[in-house]
């Protein structure tokens, strides 16, 4: 395994509204290895989305830095793709599904035939080959989110960032998408950083779960998930190791809430 | 079912048209001195038939259309880029706002004498007038459109490393199109109005000037007014047709919802 972390956060902090403003994140240190899948969990509104926007290079942290593949970033790096919660708002409504997937591939010096190949491949991976000629608004929510995932995959990122990617789809679709993500991550060997408020989801997907909490939010605990091999919705979620991790993450989140109120904002 | 309904609508419209035509004919035949100036429909149609045979109408129509089209295209070429620049930063939008509001509320026909004085009764004058007046709706709608582009779409494009010009061309451009098209619709109607106005008031060659010249020949004047009316309707339909084709992605989901 490569010695350079795929993603590294050094003393990252974000304060909105200048020095006297609201401090959202403080002193976040985190190192994520290549091929690792890490979930960041915490209460809603704690600053998880801010954190992932910083990692994506969409927002400059107030303090500290983000390193992708060992290099400090100041703009969205080329090796990274982002899938966000509002899938409906990230797909271009005037482009057909295939063209949406193609959009990031245009203008990076890829031949048209190569683009076609990548688009077809990504769509077949998420099971949407038939939908290539449809418009996003003709598809269900779960299908739209699969298009957003396909677009990220076609881009062949080394790091895939996901901000609450399955939050607005139904439970059945959510389980399917979780398994799809695990399969893809294993097959393609990409690093995944996923933000969620769902504890079960975080433990099910992760190699490590990072609990953030408090105001300002700090890293409260990093929980290793000692489940090896292929995971599946039924047996993994009944595994004692899964349940132990889940309890640990849950209590850590609750503790962070208590200590957060003790700090008093 | 749908076809029957459509046929009924069409039949209704045809009957309305016939009723109006009959009304006109009766009015034109009236011996009342006050309505003497209104020629009979049949006489107007005959005059229109005569006009269609001559090249004068075709020339005038061509001039009017060229002026309108030239003016509108220049409005697009000026208004859209200017709107993009003014929308780039809230400070620019806010500080330019009152100037735009002032310019767009000046009654359009009031400035015709000024332009006539500066440029004489030429096509150049009519085109300049159109730019001075119809550029504002397009400019304003472009600013609105750009400022209303969903920030999520822009974040997505940025996260994939699309350079600025690609974001403008492939994201901001299409996303602001629905707003811009509202501006185009208003400007197109305004452009034709200004063209005819400049021709009628200032004597720029075209349909309006022909109408002015035929004041003593009511049959011909009414025929030309009818042509101007049809032209206005055709222009509005054309813009709407282009819009519904280009913006199907915008209209269909809303209709379905």
């Amino acid at each position: 395994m490569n010695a350079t972390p795929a993603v590294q956060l050094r003393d990252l902090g974000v304060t909105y509204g200048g020095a006297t403003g609201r401090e959202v994140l403080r002193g976040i240190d985190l190192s994520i290895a290549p091929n690792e899948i890490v979930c960041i969990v915490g209460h809603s509104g704690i600053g998880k989305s801010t954190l992932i926007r910083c990692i994506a290079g969409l927002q400059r942290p107030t303090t500290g830095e983000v390193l992708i593949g060992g290099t400090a970033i100041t703009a969205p790096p080329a090796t990274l793709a982002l899938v966000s919660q509002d899938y409906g708002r990230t797909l271009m409504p005037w482009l057909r599904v295939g063209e949406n997937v193609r959009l990031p591939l245009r203008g990076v010096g890829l031949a048209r035939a190569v683009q076609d190949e990548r688009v077809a491949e990504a769509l077949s991976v998420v099971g949407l080959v038939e939908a290539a000629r449809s418009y996003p608004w003709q598809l269900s929510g779960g299908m739209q989110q699969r298009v957003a995932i396909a677009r990220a995959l076609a881009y062949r990122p080394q790091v895939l960032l996901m901000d609450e990617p399955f939050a607005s789809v139904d439970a059945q679709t959510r389980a399917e998408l979780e398994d799809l993500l695990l399969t893809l991550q294993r097959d393609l060997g990409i690093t995944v950083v996923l933000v969620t408020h769902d504890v079960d989801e975080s433990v099910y997907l992760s190699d490590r779960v990072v609990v953030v909490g408090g105001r300002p939010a700090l890293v409260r605990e990093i929980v290793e998930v000692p489940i090896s091999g292929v995971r599946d919705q039924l047996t993994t979620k009944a595994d004692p190791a899964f349940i132990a991790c889940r309890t640990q993450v849950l209590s850590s989140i609750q503790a962070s809430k208590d200590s957060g109120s003790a700090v008093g904002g | 079912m749908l076809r029957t309904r459509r046929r009924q609508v069409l039949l209704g419209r045809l009957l309305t048209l016939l009723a109006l035509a009959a009304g006109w004919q009766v009015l034109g035949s009236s011996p009342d001195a006050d309505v003497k100036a209104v020629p009979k429909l049949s006489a107007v149609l005959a005059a229109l038939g005569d006009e269609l045979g001559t090249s004068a109408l075709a020339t005038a129509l061509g001039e009017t259309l060229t002026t309108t089209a030239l003016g509108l295209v220049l409005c697009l070429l000026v208004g859209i880029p200017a709107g993009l620049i003014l929308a780039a930063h809230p400070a620019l939008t806010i500080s330019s706002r009152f100037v735009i509001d002032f310019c767009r509320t000046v009654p359009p026909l009031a400035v015709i004498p000024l332009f006539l004085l500066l440029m004489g009764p030429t096509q150049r004058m009519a085109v300049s007038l159109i730019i001075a007046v119809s550029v504002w709706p397009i400019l304003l709608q472009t600013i609105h459109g750009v400022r209303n582009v969903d920030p999520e779409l822009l974040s997505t494009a940025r996260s994939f490393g699309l350079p600025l010009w690609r974001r403008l061309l492939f994201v901001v451009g299409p996303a602001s199109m629905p707003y811009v098209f509202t501006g185009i619709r208003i400007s197109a109607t305004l452009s034709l109005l200004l063209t005819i106005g400049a021709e009628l008031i200032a004597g720029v060659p075209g349909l309006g000037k022909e109408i002015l010249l035929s004041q003593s020949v009511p049959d011909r004047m009414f025929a030309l007014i009818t042509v101007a009316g049809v032209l206005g309707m055709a222009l509005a339909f054309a813009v709407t047709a282009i819009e519904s084709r280009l913006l199907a992605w915008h209209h269909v989901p809303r209709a379905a919802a």
Side-chain angles (χ1 to χ4, degrees):
Chain A
M1 195 178 272
N2 199 330
T4 314
V7 178
Q8 193 170 15
L9 311 181
R10 280 190 192 148
D11 189 35
L12 185 133
V14 173
T15 304
Y16 285 118
T20 55
R22 189 165 58 93
E23 190 178 14
V24 177
L25 298 170
R26 181 191 289 175
I28 307 276
D29 277 301
L30 185 61
S31 187
I32 297 164
N35 296 344
E36 198 178 13
I37 175 162
V38 168
C39 283
I40 299 171
V41 289
H43 286 292
S44 303
I46 206 81
K48 301 190 298 288
S49 290
T50 302
L51 182 57
I52 208 136
R53 283 179 65 84
C54 287
I55 303 175
L58 290 170
Q59 187 176 336
R60 293 285 290 273
T62 316
T63 61
E65 56 182 357
V66 176
L67 289 87
I68 303 291
T71 317
I73 58 161
T74 53
T79 54
L80 188 145
L82 173 69
V83 175
S84 59
Q85 174 181 2
D86 284 326
Y87 46 78
R89 290 171 60 199
T90 71
L91 298 175
M92 313 294 154
W94 54 88
L95 294 179
R96 292 173 197 274
V97 164
E99 291 308 305
N100 258 297
V101 175
R102 187 196 302 277
L103 186 67
L105 307 179
R106 286 159 67 167
V108 294
L110 284 176
R112 186 85 187 172
V114 179
Q115 293 179 17
D116 286 339
E117 216 172 277
R118 290 241 203 134
V119 171
E121 188 191 61
L123 285 176
S124 91
V125 164
V126 299
L128 279 178
V129 177
E130 294 79 20
R133 304 270 312 149
S134 304
Y135 284 97
W137 38 267
Q138 293 173 315
L139 307 179
S140 69
M143 287 164 96
Q144 289 182 20
Q145 188 58 296
R146 266 148 61 197
V147 176
I149 294 171
R151 178 172 60 185
L153 293 176
Y155 189 65
R156 303 251 171 106
Q158 284 161 27
V159 178
L160 180 60
L161 302 179
M162 306 180 103
D163 183 8
E164 304 257 9
F166 314 132
S168 30
V169 294
D170 60 274
Q172 183 56 39
T173 309
R174 182 187 193 122
E176 282 169 15
L177 290 175
E178 285 170 2
D179 289 334
L180 175 68
L181 176 65
L182 285 177
T183 312
L184 292 172
Q185 194 267 340
R186 208 173 46 234
D187 293 352
L188 303 173
I190 45 180
T191 310
V192 177
V193 183
L194 188 147
V195 160
T196 180
H197 61 261
D198 185 311
V199 175
D200 279 33
E201 180 169 274
S202 72
V203 176
Y204 181 65
L205 292 174
S206 301
D207 295 319
R208 286 186 297 158
V209 178
V210 178
V211 180
V212 292
R215 287 186 197 279
L218 322 167
V219 174
R220 293 286 159 176
E221 191 176 5
I222 298 180
V223 179
E224 299 262 354
V225 182
I227 303 171
S228 53
V230 178
R231 300 178 186 188
D232 79 83
Q233 297 282 347
L234 291 177
T235 54
T236 305
K237 286 186 176 171
D239 190 320
F242 176 91
I243 293 164
C245 283
R246 185 171 167 273
T247 310
Q248 195 181 345
V249 171
L250 261 176
S251 59
S252 179
I253 290 176
Q254 301 223 313
S256 81
K257 191 176 192 180
D258 296 341
S259 70
S261 52
V263 168
Chain B
M1 177 63 188
L2 195 69
R3 184 166 289 176
T4 327
R5 172 119 187 82
R6 219 172 262 169
R7 226 174 255 169
Q8 280 171 350
V9 169
L10 215 61
L11 188 70
R13 285 182 183 163
L14 203 66
L15 286 173
T16 311
L17 211 60
L18 277 175
L20 282 174
W24 187 348
Q25 185 71 10
V26 170
L27 188 72
S29 317
S30 159
D32 191 333
D34 284 345
V35 289
K36 241 338 182 214
V38 180
K40 281 184 282 196
L41 177 63
S42 54
V44 171
L45 289 178
L48 186 61
D50 290 346
E51 280 305 315
L52 290 176
T54 67
S55 62
L57 178 66
T59 311
L61 204 56
E63 283 162 344
T64 300
L65 273 177
T66 319
T67 307
T68 309
L70 214 58
L72 188 59
V73 168
L74 286 171
C75 281
L76 291 175
L77 290 180
V78 174
I80 293 178
L84 272 180
I85 293 168
L86 291 181
H89 195 279
L92 281 172
T93 312
I94 293 164
S95 38
S96 62
R97 184 64 208 246
F98 77 100
V99 178
I100 297 173
D101 278 338
F102 174 75
C103 291
R104 79 192 172 96
T105 46
V106 172
L109 298 179
V111 291
I112 290 184
L114 176 69
F115 278 79
L116 184 61
L117 194 66
L118 290 174
M119 287 181 242
T122 54
Q123 188 182 51
R124 200 163 64 92
M125 171 258 172
V127 171
S128 310
L129 177 71
I130 293 174
I131 297 172
V133 176
S134 330
V135 77
W136 307 111
I138 292 177
L139 179 68
L140 215 60
Q141 286 300 115
T142 306
I143 295 175
H144 279 313
V146 172
R147 297 216 62 82
N148 278 295
V149 174
D150 193 326
E152 279 287 324
L153 288 182
L154 285 174
S155 283
T156 304
R158 276 182 59 210
S159 76
F160 283 116
L162 265 70
L164 179 67
W165 70 271
R166 272 185 181 273
R167 295 205 297 272
L168 284 176
L169 202 62
F170 297 125
V171 182
V172 176
S176 54
M177 244 338 133
Y179 284 85
V180 176
F181 248 99
T182 306
I184 295 177
R185 241 187 293 127
I186 300 168
S187 290
T189 314
L190 207 52
S191 298
L192 182 63
L193 174 96
L194 287 164
T195 305
I196 302 273
E199 290 163 356
L200 204 60
I201 298 171
V204 173
L207 201 56
K209 191 180 180 184
E210 291 301 311
I211 293 175
L212 185 72
L213 292 177
S214 54
Q215 262 179 334
S216 55
V217 195
D219 295 1
R220 181 168 190 264
M221 188 178 77
F222 271 83
L224 292 175
I225 292 174
T226 312
V227 172
V230 171
L231 186 63
M233 217 168 77
L235 185 68
F237 275 147
V239 174
T240 311
I242 295 171
E243 185 182 358
S244 59
R245 208 178 150 68
L246 283 181
L247 297 182
W249 61 269
H250 180 69
H251 295 300
V252 176
R254 272 157 193 75

